């Protein structure tokens, strides 16, 4: 009973709770419904009100357009107030446009103050409301400007409308209300304008103008009209002038306006009157002085980041080029600002591509995101920057250097007369062909003299300018060549800069700069930057000048000055290496080293090609080869660096000795040298004499690299397959090698051709007619490498340009194909250089960027660039044409053949082994010394057989005939007769392998069975079986052996020997 009542009570309570919750939910639903209804009613009411207001606005403007009556300023104010109350950028674009036109029309009405919209500013009740309204209207104009594209016609009209609004209401000059009696109101109205302008600035007015300028100007052709650009620039300048050029507004102007790409160029082109305004306000000076404070310059750069900092830099440079007076007065500040800005950009310049870098058309790889929208304006920006290294600015900045006159020496006879060339009189028009008028007097040769204090204001100024240009070179990586070309345009800048360098310090020159290397002061860095700039520019100049301009016209530098400069550079680089500075060099020091070393090597290679320096000029007398060799054995870093960078300071014979030591060490390492415990592996090959080249090619090309370097024994067989007599102890292989080389380098085979004139060898462009011609060239390279490896001299005279390629010089950025062209075809070189000096319009000659060649009776056209046969040669591209033509003739045509030969050569000879030789020295390494034959050295290293000895009368006669009766040419013929090469070994006859030997013979070669006891005794005691007067001397070149009959008279020996060497009756195998 009790439990039943409890149960009914619980149910009752549950029902009561549920009823309460239902009532609460119902109330909540009713409240929400009321709220939603209120919101909807409010939204509908608002929409209705907006429609009514917009309809009223449209009715107002519709009546206004019908022209029934002029609207009062008050009615415009009221309708504007209503429009602004419901204003939406998307929906009210056209209504706002009509409002702006209505306001501007009201301002143009004559003599009706009530119509002028600005008249409301004079009403006590409406002044503040009017000011707020015009501020809102003008800011909406700015909002619209941000969205408009000036290159679209409709948008450009709207841009003009909104700019007119801004121009009209930020300055009182066009307000008719202030004319006449209203002039007294001008100060108050100006104050209102300043208030409006201040409001716009706070909202971001300069950012709006920057967006509009960038959209309209950052392109190849500007889309802003003259009126628009004038208006924008006037608007931008107003706050700055009003604030009396305060730092805050100058900063905004620089960041937002002066950083627009090529802004000043567009002003100069479209509205030059604005430049006059800039000059009248002395803005350029104010910009420079503002930025000369390091903190402010850093702040501006940080705000702009890299690309836009460069745009600001370009505008400042262009302004500077048009303001000579300010530039001269503020040189120090101008240079300082540019250095700071370039250094800031340089922080982002990267040396290589990575996932974190982007490509910039002026700066190269750049570690910031590049605004690719600016790319179209980069050519204009580059043109602005070019003023920095233009003649006009260089003359102003380097005025202290250029104003100095180089001392002149009237006594011309004291200096060597310069050779005269018919080309000297040919006029030259463009950059590389400037007219060079020789003075009647010749200047003294510039040498280090010292005497100028390095802490003087003049020196510091020049150093700063050099730092500027050096920073420019390292920052603007993609236009580096343009900068160098501009800096070398003035013929007298570099000689005068060298004269300036010569005057620095107590003694001048070397000692000062070596001291700077050890001092980490700012002054030392600036002095080294001057040296670095001088080296970079001079190297560029000498690289682009041809031989006539360097040796005969002597543009910029006299040859004697080049001797002095090269001596300075040689010593400087040597000291940097030998004193251990290069070992630990980083950053600027390493850049300096590469700069000085690059200039040095350009001069050295020019001297190797055509001498201007005296004998032994490049050697270091204070460097003992024995000390160097000891340090190399100990793997000392400085000795290795010396050999890598300036091997020319070591005498040539010592380098050859070093080369032979390197080869010997490798042979020992590879086990190719006979020892007491082991013998080297020997490769045996059988060669048919009638098919020597084919058999040699087939058997040797398959050998491994180490086998090719090892011992190779050759067995000759005749046409019947019968082995020829003779045991090869290197001699037969030497003959085989010489015969192979003689065959492959024979121009008749058409693997190689000879140059016109001196008949030197280079790969034939038509060698592709041979089957497997590239494998043949690789085989030739291996044979040549083997000859050099074994120290066998072969008489193969190569063209100089081909030797440069063998050394890898053509990969250098300073290599000039034109300089090497005379070694291929001197006549062709003269024709090309005459094009360079051609005074008229080169297009009259009808040349194109192509080369027509007669290839085996068929005319073939080679395009120097893609589509070259349709591109005419003009005065603008003729220098490129000359370089392209030279490159094609010496590289492109024989590229694959040269690469194959070099590949074969380097499989035997390591590139670093021959890198210590110049092209002429490499030729001597291959073909022996071109010096006079040292008979005493030959006599000292001669071996005698068959009874001959040093005191034998025939031997005495022989040496006497060679020394006194034979000419140098006949002595060379004698050497070729017995060794197959007319030149002696580089290190002397001690290195002739096998050694030169003379053997007494009694019978002809076909009856000769070698020495017997009887023949030796008869030879020793001069006992003859019969008079050998009818027989000629013969030779076995494979053994460097002279076979000499035991003649009875000296005259017979002379006659027979002369006849034998002239008829070349040697080359027989014993």
């Amino acid at each position: 009973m009790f439990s039943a009542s409890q149960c009914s009570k619980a149910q009752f309570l549950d029902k009561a709770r549920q009823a309460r919750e239902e009532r609460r939910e119902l109330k909540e639903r009713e409240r929400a419904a009321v709220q939603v209804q209120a919101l909807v009613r409010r939204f509908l009411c608002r929409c209705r009100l907006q429609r009514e207001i917009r309809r009223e606005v449209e009715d107002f403007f519709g009546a206004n357009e019908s022209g029934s009556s002029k609207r009062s300023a008050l009615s415009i104010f009221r309708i504007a107030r209503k429009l602004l109350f419901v204003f939406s950028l998307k929906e009210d674009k056209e209504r706002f446009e009509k409002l702006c036109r209505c306001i501007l029309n009201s301002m143009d009405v004559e003599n009706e103050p009530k119509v002028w919209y600005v008249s409301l500013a004079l009403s006590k009740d409406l002044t503040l409301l009017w000011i707020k309204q015009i501020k809102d209207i003008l800011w909406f104009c700015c909002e619209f400007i941000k969205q408009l594209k000036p290159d679209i016609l409709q948008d450009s009209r709207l841009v003009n409308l909104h700019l007119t609004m801004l121009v009209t209401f930020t300055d009182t000059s066009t307000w008719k209300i202030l004319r006449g009696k209203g002039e007294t109101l001008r100060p108050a109205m100006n104050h209102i304008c300043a208030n409006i302008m201040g409001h716009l600035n706070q909202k971001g007015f300069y950012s709006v103008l920057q967006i509009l300028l960038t959209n309209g100007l950052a392109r190849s052709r500007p889309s802003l009209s003259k009126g628009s650009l004038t208006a924008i620039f006037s608007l931008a300048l107003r706050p700055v002038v009003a604030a009396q050029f305060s730092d805050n507004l100058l900063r905004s102007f620089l960041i937002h306006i002066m950083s627009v790409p090529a802004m000043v160029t567009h002003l100069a082109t479209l509205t030059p009157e604005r430049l006059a305004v800039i000059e009248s306000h002395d803005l350029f000076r104010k910009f420079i002085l503002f930025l000369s404070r390091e903190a402010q310059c850093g702040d501006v750069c940080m705000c702009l980041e890299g690309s836009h900092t460069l745009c600001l830099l370009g505008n400042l440079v262009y302004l500077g080029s048009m303001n000579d007076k300010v530039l001269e007065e503020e040189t120090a500040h101008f240079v300082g600002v540019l250095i700071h800005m370039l250094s800031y950009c340089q922080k982002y310049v990267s040396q290589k591509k990575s996932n974190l870098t982007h490509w910039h058309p002026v700066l190269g790889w750049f570690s910031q995101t590049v605004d690719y929208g600016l790319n179209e304006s980069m050519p204009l920006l580059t043109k602005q920057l070019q003023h920095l290294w233009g003649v006009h600015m260089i003359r102003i900045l380097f005025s202290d250097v250029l104003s100095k006159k180089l001392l002149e020496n009237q006594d011309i006879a004291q200096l060597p007369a310069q050779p005269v060339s018919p080309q000297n009189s040919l006029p030259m028009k463009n950059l590389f062909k400037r007219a060079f008028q020789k003075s009647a007097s010749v200047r003294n040769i510039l040498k280090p003299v010292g005497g100028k204090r390095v802490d003087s204001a003049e020196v510091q100024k020049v150093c700063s300018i050099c730092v500027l240009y050096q920073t420019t070179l390292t920052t603007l990586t993609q236009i580096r060549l343009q900068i160098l070309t501009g800096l070398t345009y003035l013929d007298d800048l570099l000689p005068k800069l060298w004269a300036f360098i010569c005057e620095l310090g107590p003694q001048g020159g070397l000692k000062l700069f070596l001291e700077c290397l050890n001092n980490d002061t700012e002054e030392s860095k600036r002095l080294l930057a001057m040296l670095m700039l001088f080296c970079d520019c001079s190297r560029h100049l000498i690289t682009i000048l041809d031989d006539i301009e360097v040796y005969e016209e002597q543009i910029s530098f006299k040859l004697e000055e080049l001797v002095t400069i090269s001596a300075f550079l040689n010593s400087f680089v040597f000291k940097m290496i030998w004193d251990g500075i290069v070992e630990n060099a980083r950053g600027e020091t390493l850049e300096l080293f590469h700069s000085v070393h690059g200039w040095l090597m350009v001069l050295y290679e020019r001297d190797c090609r055509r001498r201007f320096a005296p004998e032994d000029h490049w050697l270091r007398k204070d460097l003992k080869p024995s000390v160097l060799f000891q340090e190399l054995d100990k793997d000392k870093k400085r000795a290795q660096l010396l050999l890598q960078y300036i091997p020319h300071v070591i005498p040539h014979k010592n380098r050859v000795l070093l080369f032979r030591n390197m080869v010997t060490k490798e042979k020992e390492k590879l086990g190719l040298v006979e020892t007491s415990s082991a013998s080297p592996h020997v490769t045996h090959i059988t060669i048919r004499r009638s098919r020597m080249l084919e058999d040699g090619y087939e058997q040797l090309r398959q050998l491994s690299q180490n086998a090719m370097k090892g011992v190779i024994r050759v067995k000759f067989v005749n046409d019947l397959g019968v082995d020829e007599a003779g045991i090869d102890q290197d001699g037969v292989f030497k003959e085989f090698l010489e015969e192979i080389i003689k065959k492959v380098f024979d121009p008749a085979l058409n693997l190689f051709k000879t140059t016109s004139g001196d008949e030197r060898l280079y790969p034939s462009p038509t060698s592709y007619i041979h089957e497997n011609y590239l494998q043949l060239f690789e085989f030739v390279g291996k044979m040549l490498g083997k000859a050099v490896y074994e120290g066998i001299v072969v008489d193969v005279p190569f063209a100089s340009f081909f030797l440069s390629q063998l050394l890898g010089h053509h990969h250098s950025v300073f290599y000039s194909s034109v300089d090497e062209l005379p070694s291929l075809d001197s006549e062709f070189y003269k024709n090309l250089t005459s094009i360079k000096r051609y005074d008229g319009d080169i297009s009259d000659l009808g040349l194109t960027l192509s080369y027509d060649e007669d290839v085996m009776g068929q005319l073939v056209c080679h395009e120097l660039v893609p589509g070259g046969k349709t591109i005419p040669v003009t005065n603008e591209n003729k220098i490129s044409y000359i370089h392209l033509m030279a490159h094609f003739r010496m590289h492109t045509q024989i590229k694959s053949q040269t690469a194959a030969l070099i590949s074969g050569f380097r499989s035997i000879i390591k590139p670093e082994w021959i890198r210590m030789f110049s092209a002429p020295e490499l030729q001597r390494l291959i073909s022996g010394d071109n010096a006079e034959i040292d008979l005493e050295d030959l006599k000292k290293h001669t071996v005698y057989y068959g009874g001959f000895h040093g005191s034998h009368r025939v031997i005495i006669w022989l040496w006497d005939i060679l020394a006194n009766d034979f000419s140098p040419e006949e002595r060379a013929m004698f050497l070729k007769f017995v060794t197959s090469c007319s030149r002696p070994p580089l290190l002397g006859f001690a290195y002739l392998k096998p050694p030169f030997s003379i053997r007494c013979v009694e019978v002809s070669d076909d009856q000769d069975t070698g020495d017997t006891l009887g023949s030796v005794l008869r030879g020793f005691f001069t006992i003859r079986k019969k008079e050998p007067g009818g027989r000629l001397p013969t030779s076995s070149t494979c053994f460097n052996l002279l076979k000499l009959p035991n003649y009875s008279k000296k005259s017979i020996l002379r006659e027979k020997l002369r006849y034998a060497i002239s008829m070349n009756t040697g080359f027989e195998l014993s």
Side-chain angles (χ1 to χ4, degrees), residues 734-735 738 976-980 1035-1040 1067:
K734 176 176 179 284
E735 186 203 8
E738 289 166 350
K976 187 176 179 72
F977 177 72
V978 293
T979 68
S980 80
S1035 67
S1036 290
T1037 56
C1038 53
F1039 290 110
N1040 299 325
F1067 307 105

Side-chain angles (χ1 to χ4, degrees), residues 572-790:
F572 189 79
V573 172
F574 173 76
K575 290 284 187 186
M576 280 192 80
I577 294 173
W578 206 244
D579 293 350
I581 296 169
V582 177
E583 288 178 46
N584 308 308
R586 296 285 183 277
E588 292 173 351
T589 308
L590 196 59
E591 285 176 17
L592 171 71
F593 173 75
H594 288 307
S595 181
V596 179
H597 175 258
W599 175 209
L600 170 67
M601 295 315 292
V602 165
L603 287 175
Y604 174 68
E605 283 163 21
R606 179 79 78 160
D607 184 61
C608 289
R609 200 165 56 248
R610 181 175 168 184
R611 292 203 72 98
F612 63 79
E615 200 71 33
D616 296 341
H617 170 72
W618 303 99
L619 301 180
R620 290 291 305 181
K621 302 292 190 295
D622 54 343
L623 176 66
K624 292 181 179 178
S626 57
V627 174
L628 178 69
F629 291 173
Q630 285 170 13
E631 296 211 357
L632 283 170
D633 289 336
K634 294 174 185 174
D635 289 333
K636 288 285 186 72
K637 187 70 176 173
R638 69 174 186 175
Q640 292 169 347
L641 288 171
L642 193 78
L643 206 59
Q644 179 186 343
Y645 287 109
I646 48 169
H648 59 255
V649 300
I650 310 162
H652 178 241
K653 285 207 170 183
N654 293 103
R655 276 180 279 143
V656 176
L657 199 58
L658 190 60
F659 171 75
R660 299 286 4 140
N661 288 344
M662 288 172 175
V663 172
T664 304
K665 280 182 182 176
E666 188 185 76
K667 283 185 173 183
E668 290 171 355
K669 187 178 176 183
L670 297 174
L672 304 177
V673 180
E674 185 93 39
T675 63
S676 56
S677 57
S679 294
H681 172 73
V682 178
T683 303
H684 293 277
I685 59 172
T686 302
I687 302 294
R688 289 170 290 178
R689 195 173 279 278
S690 59
R691 291 181 59 81
M692 195 179 292
L693 178 57
E694 294 84 345
D695 289 354
Y697 170 69
E698 285 300 326
Q699 294 184 58
L700 292 177
R701 75 188 183 93
Q702 305 294 344
L703 292 183
S704 68
Q705 188 172 314
N706 287 352
M708 273 297 294
K709 292 180 178 181
V711 179
I712 300 173
R713 295 276 184 246
V714 178
K715 180 180 282 188
F716 282 117
V717 296
N718 61 21
D719 291 341
L720 299 173
V722 178
D723 291 357
E724 289 188 5
I727 300 167
D728 185 5
Q729 292 296 329
D730 295 332
V732 180
F733 177 73
K734 176 176 179 284
E735 186 203 8
F736 162 72
L737 189 63
E738 289 166 350
E739 287 296 315
I740 284 277
I741 285 174
K742 192 160 69 171
K743 284 180 186 294
V744 295
F745 287 108
D746 184 354
L749 187 63
N750 196 35
L751 275 178
F752 287 83
K753 279 182 75 172
T754 55
T755 60
S756 59
D758 55 0
E759 296 193 342
R760 292 184 165 267
L761 294 159
Y762 69 99
S764 170
T766 55
S767 55
Y768 57 79
I769 61 171
H770 290 281
E771 191 180 353
N772 301 327
Y773 73 103
L774 292 181
Q775 288 91 327
L776 263 173
F777 271 103
E778 189 175 358
F779 171 69
V780 172
K782 286 180 178 178
M783 290 291 96
L784 190 63
K786 179 68 173 172
V788 175
Y789 194 76
E790 300 297 346

Side-chain angles (χ1 to χ4, degrees), residues 977-979 1005 1033-1037 1041-1043 1065-1069:
F977 177 72
V978 293
T979 68
D1005 285 335
T1034 58
S1035 67
S1036 290
T1037 56
L1041 171 65
L1042 174 64
K1043 300 173 188 176
T1065 58
F1067 307 105
E1068 290 154 3
L1069 183 65

